[in-house]
Structures are given as C-alpha cells and as structure tokens.
Amino acid sequence: MARGNQREQSRLKNQKKKEKENKGKSSMNGQSINQKKESDAAIMRAKQEAALAKKAAEAGNGNPK
C-alpha cells in the first residue's frame, strides 16, 4: 500500500499549495455579498423575462411545444 500513501501525501501537498495560492483572494472582485445577490437576481430576472417572451411567441405562433 505504499502507492496509496504516496498518493495521499501528494494530495495533501497539492492542497496546501492551492491554499497558499488562493490565500487572500476572493472570487467576488470587491463586491459585497448583498451586491452579488442583487446582481445575480437581476441576471435571473432577465433570463426569466426572456423565457416568458419566448413562450409567448411560441404560443402566438400556434406551435404546440
């Protein structure tokens, strides 16, 4: 089982390396949590409006989908 131990040691080493690389970085690019939520909500509203418009267009054309 030496290979299993080697794999585990390598995994731990890589995990520590990734933590060092990402230390202090945030994925939100300076946005607060509330700003991120508002932005996501706006995107979802736009997608929903587009989907409703598409459904309305299909219903208007008489396509049974």
Side-chain angles (χ1 to χ4, degrees), residues 1-16:
M1 280 288 201
R3 297 191 83 200
N5 187 40
Q6 181 181 3
R7 186 178 300 126
E8 180 67 17
Q9 295 299 319
S10 178
R11 186 187 66 79
L12 290 173
K13 181 181 174 186
N14 285 332
Q15 185 179 9
K16 287 180 182 178

Side-chain angles (χ1 to χ4, degrees), residues 48-62:
Q48 288 173 344
E49 289 173 5
L52 289 174
K54 183 178 176 183
K55 282 184 181 181
E58 287 178 357
N61 291 338

Side-chain angles (χ1 to χ4, degrees), residues 5-63:
N5 187 40
Q6 181 181 3
R7 186 178 300 126
E8 180 67 17
Q9 295 299 319
S10 178
R11 186 187 66 79
L12 290 173
K13 181 181 174 186
N14 285 332
Q15 185 179 9
K16 287 180 182 178
K17 181 180 174 186
K18 293 291 182 186
E19 287 175 1
K20 264 188 188 176
E21 289 176 359
N22 293 330
K23 188 175 181 181
K25 294 181 183 177
S26 78
S27 61
M28 293 198 307
N29 298 327
Q31 289 183 333
S32 73
I33 294 173
N34 288 334
Q35 288 174 331
K36 175 73 171 148
K37 286 181 182 178
E38 290 173 9
S39 173
D40 290 348
I43 292 169
M44 289 306 297
R45 280 192 294 272
K47 286 182 179 181
Q48 288 173 344
E49 289 173 5
L52 289 174
K54 183 178 176 183
K55 282 184 181 181
E58 287 178 357
N61 291 338
N63 292 341

